[in-house]
Amino acid sequence: DQQVKQNSPSLSVQEGRISILNCDYTNSMFDYFLWYKKYPAEGPTFLISISSIKDKNEDGRFTVFLNKSAKHLSLHIVPSQPGDSAVYFCAASTTGTASKLTFGTGTRLQVTL
Amino acid sequence: DADVTQTPRNRITKTGKRIMLECSQTKGHDRMYWYRQDPGLGLRLIYYSFDVKDINKGEISDGYSVSRQAQAKFSLSLESAIPNQTALYFCATSDWTGRTDTQYFGPGTRLTVL
């Protein structure tokens, strides 16, 4: 039972354009969401997060949007750069002392010149 | 220096062997985790520990055991390795803020069981 889904295994975007990565979740108890970026031969690195009390969080070129009614979040990267080419994982948790992360399967982003 | 280190980075072993993967952190975090990554399956939680005296099973703990030797050290053992344990293994730490829990990952160990 995949509670966090990233239905696009891969995405290719031209440099300078917007990259939009999508994530859907099924557990309505999730209230904290994160995006991680992973390069080959490295561990995932934290990118940006959003709490369910917000619908948008922005950090430089990265913006995460949360639509609670649709149980959907998206990561926007504007403008995309070749160094953004990586696998992006969406993760979700419930706040509280025993919170653990549930990860999606990842989307491989390729930013082309 | 890296905040979360894992040793070894790569390991090839044979079926039936006992293997230990080690994780150390300098972040001062109480919480530590072990995940495995398989192609197309994302990261799945094996075990986690919220402090030195606390050990909990994750979603795929069968065939694995852990030891939390100190706040900074969390090791994962495969008592008798089998080929379907071939995967990338990641250790992570986190510092619970009272509301949210962002995890920070080590570089990973690539394990191959022949």
Side-chain angles (χ1 to χ4, degrees):
Chain A
D1 177 26
Q2 191 73 26
Q3 297 187 68
V4 178
K5 300 177 184 179
Q6 294 177 257
N7 291 318
S8 298
S10 63
L11 175 67
S12 183
V13 171
Q14 278 190 321
E15 182 180 10
R17 302 284 187 118
I18 183 171
S19 294
I20 300 177
L21 293 90
N22 293 304
C23 178
D24 296 294
Y25 60 96
T26 58
N27 187 341
S28 59
M29 299 300 292
F30 288 147
D31 57 4
Y32 183 60
F33 305 89
L34 309 89
W35 284 94
Y36 283 82
K37 179 168 73 174
K38 185 184 178 305
Y39 292 119
E42 295 183 12
T45 56
F46 170 69
L47 192 57
I48 192 169
S49 64
I50 187 166
S51 167
S52 61
I53 61 174
K54 295 184 175 182
D55 54 18
K56 176 183 174 181
N57 190 28
E58 194 169 351
D59 183 2
R61 297 186 297 113
F62 302 90
T63 302
V64 55
F65 295 92
L66 176 62
N67 182 334
K68 290 186 291 293
S69 61
K71 295 190 179 69
H72 176 84
L73 63 155
S74 60
L75 174 68
H76 292 211
I77 307 174
V78 183
S80 300
Q81 299 174 354
D84 296 328
S85 297
V87 177
Y88 289 79
F89 291 98
C90 169
S93 74
T94 56
T95 54
T97 57
S99 64
K100 303 185 299 293
L101 293 181
T102 299
F103 283 85
T105 53
T107 296
R108 182 178 301 278
L109 173 65
Q110 180 78 36
V111 179
T112 58
L113 299 174
Chain B
D1 287 341
D3 295 318
V4 184
T5 57
Q6 293 183 233
T7 55
R9 293 294 313 276
N10 288 282
R11 183 70 184 268
I12 300 174
T13 191
K14 295 182 178 179
T15 297
K17 293 291 188 181
R18 185 179 188 275
I19 296 296
M20 179 180 286
L21 308 183
E22 299 188 352
C23 177
S24 295
Q25 53 118 344
T26 58
K27 298 183 79 68
H29 291 169
D30 285 329
R31 299 184 168 195
M32 298 187 75
Y33 310 79
W34 275 103
Y35 291 90
R36 67 177 277 176
Q37 184 191 6
D38 298 276
L41 291 179
L43 284 86
R44 294 182 291 166
L45 184 62
I46 306 172
Y47 269 96
Y48 61 102
S49 169
F50 283 175
D51 65 42
V52 175
K53 296 180 181 179
D54 176 75
I55 300 289
N56 303 281
K57 293 182 177 180
E59 64 178 301
I60 53 163
S61 60
D62 287 349
Y64 301 95
S65 62
V66 291
S67 174
R68 185 80 184 268
Q69 300 96 323
Q71 186 205 37
K73 295 184 182 298
F74 192 36
S75 59
L76 176 73
S77 294
L78 288 68
E79 296 301 325
S80 179
I82 56 177
N84 76 359
Q85 292 177 312
T86 294
L88 265 174
Y89 290 84
F90 291 102
C91 174
T93 74
S94 71
D95 186 21
W96 186 63
T97 64
R99 192 163 193 280
T100 59
D101 208 16
T102 300
Q103 294 182 19
Y104 300 89
F105 286 80
T109 294
R110 182 172 294 279
L111 177 65
T112 303
V113 183
L114 301 176

